[in-house]
Amino acid sequence: MAETTNPTLKAAAYTAGGTERERLDLPGELFDGTVNMPVMHQAVKAYLGNQRLGLAYTKTRGLVTGGNQKPWKQKGTGRARQGSRRAPHFVGGGTVFGPTGRKYNQTVPRQIRVLARKSALNARAREDALIVIDNFNYDKPSTKQMVSLLGAVGVTGKKVLILTDGVKPNVFLSGRNLQRTYVMPYADVSTYHVLWSDVVLIESNALGYELKTVEEKPRAARPKSETKSRGAEKAERKTAKAATKSSNAHKTARKAAKAAGKSAKPKAAAKKTAKKSAGKKKGK
């Protein structure tokens, strides 16, 4: 069933550099708060089905190589009559009722696909997981700039879907190397992609907004004492491992010395008893 809520939905807005802006009212034509679960299920099922290739294929007895003559004569052998070694009951024979290729394609009407995508975007907007970015004006690909934007927005470690206004290669190349970030044009997004993501970042021009430029605020840099390089972390780990190894070696050496001392004591006692018994014999 379709769920409806207050049609006035708002979303947080940021600049491409991570500066926070005033919250925006999302357009009512697209974001009316309606979430239709059955339609979204149908669209996602069709999308996943269309990704399947269905290449499983087996050979019947007519496609297996060999078997052009009878394995033995028709009569006189006492065995059942056979016409070919490629029969299904022979080893290496054909397969009966096996898969011979299948298509999993499903067609969904355009209106249902549009409604499903609209419902998915409304679901993210109701969860406050939809963020508007004023303009992705990247002069060149920069993964560092993309990572800083995700950190400023506060979505680091989440599955992020970035929707641009048209094809923007620099933005795509900036987010291509990030594991949980996917960049694509807004016109090509599907219901599956929206539901796959935890947070959706949409460029303002894709929604029909033309936001004014805002001065970027400098972000507070983290103190050097808190930030540690990977080399420093590796060195600390190596020193800790070396310390533990040395302590373990000392412990094993002490245990070995104790064990040697215990084994030497019985030998000394045996020598003393032998000397005493020899003295007694001489006295007699």
Side-chain angles (χ1 to χ4, degrees):
M1 297 296 292
E3 299 180 4
T4 57
T5 58
N6 188 7
T8 57
L9 294 175
K10 293 186 177 183
Y14 289 83
T15 62
T19 303
E20 188 174 2
R21 302 174 60 111
E22 295 182 358
R23 293 178 66 88
L24 297 176
D25 292 332
L26 296 174
E29 296 179 358
L30 180 60
F31 297 92
D32 56 356
T34 304
V35 178
N36 196 324
M37 296 293 291
V39 171
M40 288 194 297
H41 177 265
Q42 183 179 356
V44 171
K45 187 174 66 173
Y47 177 84
L48 295 177
N50 293 336
Q51 306 305 311
R52 300 182 66 177
L53 298 178
L55 299 179
Y57 190 88
T58 56
K59 293 183 178 181
T60 59
R61 63 179 297 171
L63 301 176
V64 179
T65 305
N68 295 326
Q69 61 183 1
K70 291 171 69 65
W72 51 78
K73 60 182 182 178
Q74 182 81 356
K75 295 179 179 296
T77 62
R79 291 179 286 184
R81 53 193 175 185
Q82 303 295 337
S84 172
R85 284 279 187 183
R86 304 300 95 183
H89 58 277
F90 277 106
V91 176
T95 304
V96 183
F97 302 128
T100 56
R102 177 183 172 185
K103 293 182 179 180
Y104 295 90
N105 298 337
Q106 297 184 23
T107 57
V108 179
R110 186 184 63 83
Q111 293 182 349
I112 292 180
R113 284 188 274 113
V114 172
L115 180 59
R117 187 177 70 168
K118 179 180 177 182
S119 300
L121 292 173
N122 279 308
R124 290 292 174 263
R126 286 171 56 177
E127 296 171 359
D128 202 12
L130 192 141
I131 300 173
V132 179
I133 306 298
D134 57 359
N135 188 16
F136 286 107
N137 49 0
Y138 284 11
D139 297 333
K140 60 180 181 179
S142 176
T143 305
K144 183 178 180 180
Q145 187 176 356
M146 181 66 71
V147 171
S148 65
L149 172 62
L150 298 180
V153 174
V155 296
T156 305
K158 297 182 180 180
K159 292 184 286 187
V160 183
L161 175 64
I162 300 176
L163 304 178
T164 60
D165 182 23
V167 179
K168 293 192 174 182
N170 292 335
V171 183
F172 174 76
L173 295 175
S174 300
R176 181 179 61 176
N177 199 29
L178 300 178
Q179 187 174 7
R180 294 190 173 188
T181 303
Y182 193 75
V183 183
M184 65 185 308
Y186 174 77
D188 297 342
V189 69
S190 65
T191 307
Y192 173 80
H193 292 99
V194 178
L195 296 180
W196 165 86
S197 64
D198 297 327
V199 182
V200 181
L201 273 63
I202 306 180
E203 193 172 4
S204 60
N205 295 331
L207 298 177
Y209 287 112
E210 292 184 1
L211 301 178
K212 297 180 180 179
T213 57
V214 178
E215 295 183 0
E216 298 288 346
K217 296 181 181 179
R219 295 183 59 192
R222 296 176 61 185
K224 293 184 179 180
S225 59
E226 295 181 1
T227 58
K228 293 183 180 180
S229 61
R230 293 183 179 178
E233 291 180 358
K234 288 183 179 179
E236 289 181 359
R237 290 176 185 173
K238 286 183 179 179
T239 53
K241 286 182 179 180
T244 53
K245 286 183 179 179
S246 62
S247 61
N248 292 333
H250 285 302
K251 288 181 180 179
T252 52
R254 289 176 184 174
K255 290 181 179 179
K258 288 182 180 179
K262 289 181 180 179
S263 61
K265 285 180 180 179
K267 290 181 180 179
K271 287 181 179 180
K272 289 181 180 179
T273 53
K275 287 179 179 180
K276 287 181 180 180
S277 60
K280 287 181 181 180
K281 288 180 180 179
K282 289 180 179 179
K284 288 181 179 179

